[in-house]
Amino acid sequence: MKSHKLILIALSGVSLIGLSGCQTTSSSQLLKADQSQVQTRNIQTRAFDTTDKNKTLRTVISTLQDLGFVVDKADEVLGSVSATKLDGYQLRMTVTVRPRGQTQLLVRANAQYNLTAVEDPEIYQDFFTSLGKSMFLTAHNVD
Amino acid sequence: MNSNGTKTRGLFIITSIVMVFFLAGCQTIPKDALKLSPESLEKRSLQTRTYEGISEADILSASAGVIQDLGFNIDESETKLGVIVGSKERDATEAGQVAAAVVVALLGGGAMAIDKNQKLRVSLVVRPTHESDDKKHFVRVTFQRMVWNTQGQVTRIEGLDQPEMYQEFFDRLSKAVFLEGHKI
């Protein structure tokens, strides 16, 4: 009987930890990044063999619309586009375009699925595959 | 013997509940969220019209007018990329839900939560069909919304896809520019 009570208490404690997600201060989310900075940039960035920033940004916008996103913001000078997809969940993405050397543009995407940052490399690969198709260019990995 | 049986069963139930809480925290992004699907081409036809004989600036300002006509407030715009974003908040009560809530209340079921308000967003993007041609443009519009109920919970979080909505938007835009919008 006593052992059953102990197990009960242990399970409640474990489930409480599970529910809280091991977070002690929620404001620490501000500067929290779950992967190393280099790792994150690697999976979120690709280079394309073009220097036309305006055309690339417009292609990013149309690709996002094809993927079911609604554009939130766009800034040509900054080279950024933000969009949201609502489909039973909320997926927010920001894509930035900037020059890389004399012959390429660097495209970086980061996404948030409901309350978590998207860290799965395959999801970002899907996005760059879709973007590459729309641009008729290959997305090169950046080291 | 009996008391032992119910105790292990109680333990089993509690363990299952704990597992459910663990699993609920593991909701992940759907695998095909960022893949182009065959439906996306159909949707593109639904959401896009071409307009000829008008400059990008003119079609953008006509579009801004239509968005305002529909009661949206313009939140963001970037004319260099042909983007206008608007939103509006409206009542979301539906007669059917109100009727059902009344029935439930009459049957003694208490207050049923019904849809209360919604935030609708529209995003309009203008793009030249060819780089060299300044007078022919694609105009693509997309709609989405979030709906909250009387208990403050989100009940719907969705893109809006009915063809009639898009047709009506483009009818208004065509009237505003005195030109016909052609389907792609």
Side-chain angles (χ1 to χ4, degrees):
Chain A
M1 265 218 294
K2 224 183 184 174
S3 64
H4 274 153
K5 242 189 188 161
L6 274 175
I7 292 173
L8 211 81
I9 293 170
L11 277 176
S12 325
V14 163
S15 67
L16 279 172
I17 292 172
L19 286 171
S20 69
C22 297
Q23 193 164 250
T24 44
T25 336
S26 57
S27 56
S28 64
Q29 284 286 356
L30 181 67
L31 293 175
K32 187 164 171 263
D34 294 291
Q35 295 166 318
S36 79
Q37 194 169 1
V38 172
Q39 242 185 322
T40 313
R41 285 187 189 214
N42 267 343
I43 65 171
Q44 294 181 345
T45 314
R46 298 289 186 276
F48 288 88
D49 296 322
T50 172
T51 51
D52 193 336
K53 188 176 168 189
N54 184 293
K55 184 172 176 200
T56 305
L57 279 168
R58 287 187 191 250
T59 312
V60 166
I61 289 172
S62 76
T63 307
L64 286 170
Q65 286 183 305
D66 282 337
L67 291 168
F69 283 79
V70 166
V71 176
D72 298 331
K73 285 187 203 307
D75 186 327
E76 206 231 16
V77 170
L78 191 62
S80 77
V81 176
S82 293
T84 304
K85 176 171 177 173
L86 297 183
D87 191 5
Y89 54 82
Q90 183 183 54
L91 181 57
R92 292 206 65 206
M93 258 185 94
T94 295
V95 183
T96 52
V97 175
R98 63 177 207 272
R100 182 187 195 223
Q102 302 294 341
T103 53
Q104 288 184 319
L105 286 175
L106 211 58
V107 178
R108 184 188 182 162
N110 77 316
Q112 171 192 320
Y113 171 78
N114 288 336
L115 292 176
T116 40
V118 175
E119 275 143 21
D120 187 351
E122 278 182 39
I123 303 288
Y124 290 108
Q125 185 52 50
D126 287 341
F127 171 70
F128 287 114
T129 307
S130 307
L131 179 60
K133 279 194 196 132
S134 306
M135 287 179 69
F136 301 107
L137 290 172
T138 343
H140 301 293
N141 281 317
V142 175
D143 313 300
Chain B
M1 191 101 80
N2 254 348
S3 61
N4 258 343
T6 40
K7 277 204 177 109
T8 35
R9 214 180 45 178
L11 209 59
F12 175 71
I13 292 171
I14 290 169
T15 318
S16 327
I17 295 173
V18 169
M19 294 302 347
V20 165
F21 278 131
F22 261 121
L23 289 171
C26 294
Q27 222 186 19
T28 47
I29 183 171
K31 277 291 167 185
D32 56 354
L34 292 180
K35 285 198 177 114
L36 282 172
S37 64
E39 291 84 50
S40 48
L41 271 180
E42 276 173 41
K43 278 199 186 154
R44 192 198 288 177
S45 315
L46 188 71
Q47 296 169 347
T48 315
R49 301 286 187 276
T50 56
Y51 286 85
E52 225 169 327
I54 185 169
S55 71
E56 186 169 338
D58 286 338
I59 190 88
L60 266 176
S61 62
S63 306
V66 172
I67 287 174
Q68 285 183 294
D69 289 340
L70 293 169
F72 287 92
N73 294 110
I74 294 182
D75 293 328
E76 284 296 326
S77 63
E78 173 66 334
T79 42
K80 287 181 235 169
L81 293 171
V83 173
I84 301 178
V85 182
S87 69
K88 64 177 172 180
E89 284 166 68
R90 291 290 184 270
D91 180 34
T93 16
E94 281 179 355
Q97 285 190 3
V98 174
V102 167
V103 169
V104 166
L106 283 174
L107 292 172
M112 187 176 96
I114 56 169
D115 286 346
K116 183 166 168 244
N117 59 313
Q118 58 181 322
K119 181 166 184 179
L120 301 126
R121 287 181 62 234
V122 62
S123 185
L124 184 138
V125 178
V126 176
R127 184 181 183 181
T129 53
H130 299 287
E131 281 154 58
S132 43
D133 189 354
D134 183 47
K135 288 292 186 183
K136 192 171 179 202
H137 301 278
F138 292 122
V139 177
R140 183 171 187 176
V141 70
T142 42
F143 302 112
Q144 62 179 205
R145 70 169 180 167
M146 281 175 79
V147 181
W148 289 266
N149 65 12
T150 42
Q151 284 174 2
Q153 300 157 322
V154 175
T155 50
R156 279 189 241 239
I157 180 168
E158 58 191 8
L160 294 170
D161 282 329
Q162 282 102 304
E164 309 82 56
M165 295 181 181
Y166 291 98
Q167 191 51 51
E168 196 191 318
F169 182 87
F170 286 114
D171 287 343
R172 285 172 178 263
L173 183 57
S174 299
K175 285 201 188 96
V177 296
F178 305 110
L179 291 172
E180 264 310 302
H182 296 283
K183 291 196 182 167
I184 53 165

PDB file of all heavy atoms in Angstrom, chain A residues 56-80:
ATOM      1  N   THR A  56      14.296  37.853 -56.794  1.00  0.00           N
ATOM      2  CA  THR A  56      14.353  36.744 -55.844  1.00  0.00           C
ATOM      3  C   THR A  56      13.335  36.940 -54.732  1.00  0.00           C
ATOM      4  O   THR A  56      12.627  36.004 -54.349  1.00  0.00           O
ATOM      5  CB  THR A  56      15.763  36.617 -55.251  1.00  0.00           C
ATOM      6  OG1 THR A  56      16.694  36.489 -56.311  1.00  0.00           O
ATOM      7  CG2 THR A  56      15.878  35.415 -54.340  1.00  0.00           C
ATOM      8  N   LEU A  57      13.238  38.186 -54.229  1.00  0.00           N
ATOM      9  CA  LEU A  57      12.258  38.448 -53.179  1.00  0.00           C
ATOM     10  C   LEU A  57      10.844  38.189 -53.685  1.00  0.00           C
ATOM     11  O   LEU A  57      10.015  37.604 -52.986  1.00  0.00           O
ATOM     12  CB  LEU A  57      12.372  39.895 -52.690  1.00  0.00           C
ATOM     13  CG  LEU A  57      13.488  40.143 -51.690  1.00  0.00           C
ATOM     14  CD1 LEU A  57      13.702  41.630 -51.494  1.00  0.00           C
ATOM     15  CD2 LEU A  57      13.171  39.485 -50.355  1.00  0.00           C
ATOM     16  N   ARG A  58      10.562  38.606 -54.919  1.00  0.00           N
ATOM     17  CA  ARG A  58       9.222  38.380 -55.457  1.00  0.00           C
ATOM     18  C   ARG A  58       8.954  36.884 -55.613  1.00  0.00           C
ATOM     19  O   ARG A  58       7.823  36.414 -55.425  1.00  0.00           O
ATOM     20  CB  ARG A  58       9.060  39.092 -56.798  1.00  0.00           C
ATOM     21  CG  ARG A  58       8.937  40.609 -56.654  1.00  0.00           C
ATOM     22  CD  ARG A  58       8.622  41.229 -57.983  1.00  0.00           C
ATOM     23  NE  ARG A  58       8.724  42.668 -58.003  1.00  0.00           N
ATOM     24  CZ  ARG A  58       7.689  43.497 -58.099  1.00  0.00           C
ATOM     25  NH1 ARG A  58       6.466  43.019 -58.144  1.00  0.00           N
ATOM     26  NH2 ARG A  58       7.885  44.802 -58.133  1.00  0.00           N
ATOM     27  N   THR A  59      10.003  36.130 -55.981  1.00  0.00           N
ATOM     28  CA  THR A  59       9.821  34.680 -56.117  1.00  0.00           C
ATOM     29  C   THR A  59       9.610  34.041 -54.749  1.00  0.00           C
ATOM     30  O   THR A  59       8.799  33.111 -54.610  1.00  0.00           O
ATOM     31  CB  THR A  59      11.032  34.041 -56.820  1.00  0.00           C
ATOM     32  OG1 THR A  59      11.346  34.798 -57.982  1.00  0.00           O
ATOM     33  CG2 THR A  59      10.729  32.613 -57.211  1.00  0.00           C
ATOM     34  N   VAL A  60      10.315  34.536 -53.744  1.00  0.00           N
ATOM     35  CA  VAL A  60      10.088  34.034 -52.383  1.00  0.00           C
ATOM     36  C   VAL A  60       8.636  34.262 -51.990  1.00  0.00           C
ATOM     37  O   VAL A  60       7.960  33.373 -51.455  1.00  0.00           O
ATOM     38  CB  VAL A  60      11.039  34.739 -51.380  1.00  0.00           C
ATOM     39  CG1 VAL A  60      10.592  34.498 -49.955  1.00  0.00           C
ATOM     40  CG2 VAL A  60      12.461  34.246 -51.555  1.00  0.00           C
ATOM     41  N   ILE A  61       8.126  35.465 -52.278  1.00  0.00           N
ATOM     42  CA  ILE A  61       6.738  35.788 -51.928  1.00  0.00           C
ATOM     43  C   ILE A  61       5.779  34.848 -52.647  1.00  0.00           C
ATOM     44  O   ILE A  61       4.843  34.304 -52.044  1.00  0.00           O
ATOM     45  CB  ILE A  61       6.423  37.259 -52.270  1.00  0.00           C
ATOM     46  CG1 ILE A  61       7.147  38.184 -51.300  1.00  0.00           C
ATOM     47  CG2 ILE A  61       4.921  37.520 -52.215  1.00  0.00           C
ATOM     48  CD1 ILE A  61       7.061  39.647 -51.674  1.00  0.00           C
ATOM     49  N   SER A  62       6.004  34.600 -53.937  1.00  0.00           N
ATOM     50  CA  SER A  62       5.031  33.751 -54.645  1.00  0.00           C
ATOM     51  C   SER A  62       5.156  32.300 -54.201  1.00  0.00           C
ATOM     52  O   SER A  62       4.161  31.579 -54.136  1.00  0.00           O
ATOM     53  CB  SER A  62       5.148  33.914 -56.153  1.00  0.00           C
ATOM     54  OG  SER A  62       6.258  33.234 -56.623  1.00  0.00           O
ATOM     55  N   THR A  63       6.378  31.860 -53.840  1.00  0.00           N
ATOM     56  CA  THR A  63       6.535  30.496 -53.322  1.00  0.00           C
ATOM     57  C   THR A  63       5.803  30.347 -51.996  1.00  0.00           C
ATOM     58  O   THR A  63       5.128  29.348 -51.751  1.00  0.00           O
ATOM     59  CB  THR A  63       8.023  30.153 -53.127  1.00  0.00           C
ATOM     60  OG1 THR A  63       8.714  30.413 -54.325  1.00  0.00           O
ATOM     61  CG2 THR A  63       8.194  28.698 -52.726  1.00  0.00           C
ATOM     62  N   LEU A  64       5.943  31.354 -51.138  1.00  0.00           N
ATOM     63  CA  LEU A  64       5.238  31.298 -49.853  1.00  0.00           C
ATOM     64  C   LEU A  64       3.734  31.255 -50.074  1.00  0.00           C
ATOM     65  O   LEU A  64       3.006  30.525 -49.403  1.00  0.00           O
ATOM     66  CB  LEU A  64       5.616  32.499 -48.976  1.00  0.00           C
ATOM     67  CG  LEU A  64       7.016  32.432 -48.363  1.00  0.00           C
ATOM     68  CD1 LEU A  64       7.384  33.763 -47.726  1.00  0.00           C
ATOM     69  CD2 LEU A  64       7.099  31.329 -47.327  1.00  0.00           C
ATOM     70  N   GLN A  65       3.246  32.027 -51.055  1.00  0.00           N
ATOM     71  CA  GLN A  65       1.814  31.982 -51.330  1.00  0.00           C
ATOM     72  C   GLN A  65       1.403  30.615 -51.855  1.00  0.00           C
ATOM     73  O   GLN A  65       0.354  30.086 -51.481  1.00  0.00           O
ATOM     74  CB  GLN A  65       1.434  33.065 -52.341  1.00  0.00           C
ATOM     75  CG  GLN A  65       1.439  34.458 -51.726  1.00  0.00           C
ATOM     76  CD  GLN A  65       0.991  35.515 -52.711  1.00  0.00           C
ATOM     77  OE1 GLN A  65       1.543  35.647 -53.793  1.00  0.00           O
ATOM     78  NE2 GLN A  65      -0.014  36.267 -52.331  1.00  0.00           N
ATOM     79  N   ASP A  66       2.246  30.011 -52.710  1.00  0.00           N
ATOM     80  CA  ASP A  66       1.951  28.658 -53.197  1.00  0.00           C
ATOM     81  C   ASP A  66       1.892  27.661 -52.054  1.00  0.00           C
ATOM     82  O   ASP A  66       1.151  26.679 -52.105  1.00  0.00           O
ATOM     83  CB  ASP A  66       3.036  28.190 -54.184  1.00  0.00           C
ATOM     84  CG  ASP A  66       2.863  28.807 -55.554  1.00  0.00           C
ATOM     85  OD1 ASP A  66       1.746  29.212 -55.882  1.00  0.00           O
ATOM     86  OD2 ASP A  66       3.869  28.857 -56.293  1.00  0.00           O
ATOM     87  N   LEU A  67       2.708  27.888 -51.013  1.00  0.00           N
ATOM     88  CA  LEU A  67       2.733  26.963 -49.880  1.00  0.00           C
ATOM     89  C   LEU A  67       1.606  27.240 -48.893  1.00  0.00           C
ATOM     90  O   LEU A  67       1.539  26.612 -47.842  1.00  0.00           O
ATOM     91  CB  LEU A  67       4.094  27.049 -49.167  1.00  0.00           C
ATOM     92  CG  LEU A  67       5.272  26.489 -49.960  1.00  0.00           C
ATOM     93  CD1 LEU A  67       6.589  26.876 -49.305  1.00  0.00           C
ATOM     94  CD2 LEU A  67       5.177  24.978 -50.054  1.00  0.00           C
ATOM     95  N   GLY A  68       0.728  28.197 -49.228  1.00  0.00           N
ATOM     96  CA  GLY A  68      -0.423  28.448 -48.374  1.00  0.00           C
ATOM     97  C   GLY A  68      -0.221  29.534 -47.347  1.00  0.00           C
ATOM     98  O   GLY A  68      -1.028  29.691 -46.429  1.00  0.00           O
ATOM     99  N   PHE A  69       0.852  30.311 -47.473  1.00  0.00           N
ATOM    100  CA  PHE A  69       1.104  31.385 -46.528  1.00  0.00           C
ATOM    101  C   PHE A  69       0.408  32.668 -46.956  1.00  0.00           C
ATOM    102  O   PHE A  69       0.144  32.894 -48.122  1.00  0.00           O
ATOM    103  CB  PHE A  69       2.607  31.683 -46.452  1.00  0.00           C
ATOM    104  CG  PHE A  69       3.395  30.694 -45.658  1.00  0.00           C
ATOM    105  CD1 PHE A  69       3.756  29.479 -46.223  1.00  0.00           C
ATOM    106  CD2 PHE A  69       3.790  30.978 -44.363  1.00  0.00           C
ATOM    107  CE1 PHE A  69       4.492  28.559 -45.495  1.00  0.00           C
ATOM    108  CE2 PHE A  69       4.532  30.062 -43.632  1.00  0.00           C
ATOM    109  CZ  PHE A  69       4.883  28.845 -44.201  1.00  0.00           C
ATOM    110  N   VAL A  70       0.146  33.521 -45.968  1.00  0.00           N
ATOM    111  CA  VAL A  70      -0.323  34.875 -46.236  1.00  0.00           C
ATOM    112  C   VAL A  70       0.816  35.794 -45.804  1.00  0.00           C
ATOM    113  O   VAL A  70       1.321  35.681 -44.689  1.00  0.00           O
ATOM    114  CB  VAL A  70      -1.615  35.166 -45.441  1.00  0.00           C
ATOM    115  CG1 VAL A  70      -1.938  36.643 -45.425  1.00  0.00           C
ATOM    116  CG2 VAL A  70      -2.778  34.399 -46.034  1.00  0.00           C
ATOM    117  N   VAL A  71       1.224  36.683 -46.707  1.00  0.00           N
ATOM    118  CA  VAL A  71       2.380  37.531 -46.421  1.00  0.00           C
ATOM    119  C   VAL A  71       2.029  38.556 -45.350  1.00  0.00           C
ATOM    120  O   VAL A  71       0.991  39.207 -45.433  1.00  0.00           O
ATOM    121  CB  VAL A  71       2.838  38.243 -47.716  1.00  0.00           C
ATOM    122  CG1 VAL A  71       3.973  39.188 -47.439  1.00  0.00           C
ATOM    123  CG2 VAL A  71       3.240  37.209 -48.743  1.00  0.00           C
ATOM    124  N   ASP A  72       2.880  38.685 -44.344  1.00  0.00           N
ATOM    125  CA  ASP A  72       2.649  39.667 -43.276  1.00  0.00           C
ATOM    126  C   ASP A  72       3.369  40.977 -43.561  1.00  0.00           C
ATOM    127  O   ASP A  72       2.838  42.046 -43.354  1.00  0.00           O
ATOM    128  CB  ASP A  72       3.199  39.170 -41.939  1.00  0.00           C
ATOM    129  CG  ASP A  72       2.534  37.903 -41.476  1.00  0.00           C
ATOM    130  OD1 ASP A  72       1.365  37.688 -41.828  1.00  0.00           O
ATOM    131  OD2 ASP A  72       3.185  37.132 -40.761  1.00  0.00           O
ATOM    132  N   LYS A  73       4.646  40.858 -43.923  1.00  0.00           N
ATOM    133  CA  LYS A  73       5.480  42.046 -44.082  1.00  0.00           C
ATOM    134  C   LYS A  73       6.492  41.789 -45.176  1.00  0.00           C
ATOM    135  O   LYS A  73       6.910  40.650 -45.385  1.00  0.00           O
ATOM    136  CB  LYS A  73       6.304  42.284 -42.805  1.00  0.00           C
ATOM    137  CG  LYS A  73       5.558  42.845 -41.641  1.00  0.00           C
ATOM    138  CD  LYS A  73       6.561  43.174 -40.535  1.00  0.00           C
ATOM    139  CE  LYS A  73       5.940  43.227 -39.167  1.00  0.00           C
ATOM    140  NZ  LYS A  73       4.788  44.106 -39.048  1.00  0.00           N
ATOM    141  N   ALA A  74       6.916  42.869 -45.823  1.00  0.00           N
ATOM    142  CA  ALA A  74       7.997  42.721 -46.791  1.00  0.00           C
ATOM    143  C   ALA A  74       8.773  44.016 -46.818  1.00  0.00           C
ATOM    144  O   ALA A  74       8.199  45.096 -46.676  1.00  0.00           O
ATOM    145  CB  ALA A  74       7.431  42.407 -48.178  1.00  0.00           C
ATOM    146  N   ASP A  75      10.080  43.913 -46.977  1.00  0.00           N
ATOM    147  CA  ASP A  75      10.930  45.102 -47.005  1.00  0.00           C
ATOM    148  C   ASP A  75      12.027  44.864 -48.018  1.00  0.00           C
ATOM    149  O   ASP A  75      12.885  44.005 -47.809  1.00  0.00           O
ATOM    150  CB  ASP A  75      11.515  45.326 -45.601  1.00  0.00           C
ATOM    151  CG  ASP A  75      12.288  46.622 -45.503  1.00  0.00           C
ATOM    152  OD1 ASP A  75      12.920  47.050 -46.489  1.00  0.00           O
ATOM    153  OD2 ASP A  75      12.278  47.228 -44.407  1.00  0.00           O
ATOM    154  N   GLU A  76      11.994  45.649 -49.116  1.00  0.00           N
ATOM    155  CA  GLU A  76      12.938  45.381 -50.190  1.00  0.00           C
ATOM    156  C   GLU A  76      14.353  45.788 -49.815  1.00  0.00           C
ATOM    157  O   GLU A  76      15.297  45.094 -50.152  1.00  0.00           O
ATOM    158  CB  GLU A  76      12.507  46.107 -51.463  1.00  0.00           C
ATOM    159  CG  GLU A  76      13.018  45.428 -52.707  1.00  0.00           C
ATOM    160  CD  GLU A  76      13.715  46.374 -53.648  1.00  0.00           C
ATOM    161  OE1 GLU A  76      14.060  47.478 -53.197  1.00  0.00           O
ATOM    162  OE2 GLU A  76      13.910  45.998 -54.816  1.00  0.00           O
ATOM    163  N   VAL A  77      14.498  46.896 -49.107  1.00  0.00           N
ATOM    164  CA  VAL A  77      15.835  47.373 -48.743  1.00  0.00           C
ATOM    165  C   VAL A  77      16.490  46.385 -47.785  1.00  0.00           C
ATOM    166  O   VAL A  77      17.641  45.981 -47.959  1.00  0.00           O
ATOM    167  CB  VAL A  77      15.748  48.773 -48.119  1.00  0.00           C
ATOM    168  CG1 VAL A  77      17.078  49.171 -47.524  1.00  0.00           C
ATOM    169  CG2 VAL A  77      15.293  49.777 -49.159  1.00  0.00           C
ATOM    170  N   LEU A  78      15.719  45.960 -46.771  1.00  0.00           N
ATOM    171  CA  LEU A  78      16.247  44.998 -45.814  1.00  0.00           C
ATOM    172  C   LEU A  78      16.335  43.606 -46.438  1.00  0.00           C
ATOM    173  O   LEU A  78      17.097  42.758 -45.986  1.00  0.00           O
ATOM    174  CB  LEU A  78      15.319  44.964 -44.596  1.00  0.00           C
ATOM    175  CG  LEU A  78      15.781  44.225 -43.363  1.00  0.00           C
ATOM    176  CD1 LEU A  78      17.042  44.860 -42.827  1.00  0.00           C
ATOM    177  CD2 LEU A  78      14.686  44.247 -42.314  1.00  0.00           C
ATOM    178  N   GLY A  79      15.527  43.392 -47.475  1.00  0.00           N
ATOM    179  CA  GLY A  79      15.521  42.093 -48.130  1.00  0.00           C
ATOM    180  C   GLY A  79      14.813  41.033 -47.312  1.00  0.00           C
ATOM    181  O   GLY A  79      15.234  39.881 -47.272  1.00  0.00           O
ATOM    182  N   SER A  80      13.718  41.392 -46.657  1.00  0.00           N
ATOM    183  CA  SER A  80      13.051  40.416 -45.801  1.00  0.00           C
ATOM    184  C   SER A  80      11.570  40.292 -46.132  1.00  0.00           C
ATOM    185  O   SER A  80      10.922  41.245 -46.537  1.00  0.00           O
ATOM    186  CB  SER A  80      13.195  40.796 -44.336  1.00  0.00           C
ATOM    187  OG  SER A  80      12.312  41.841 -44.020  1.00  0.00           O
TER     188      SER A  80
END
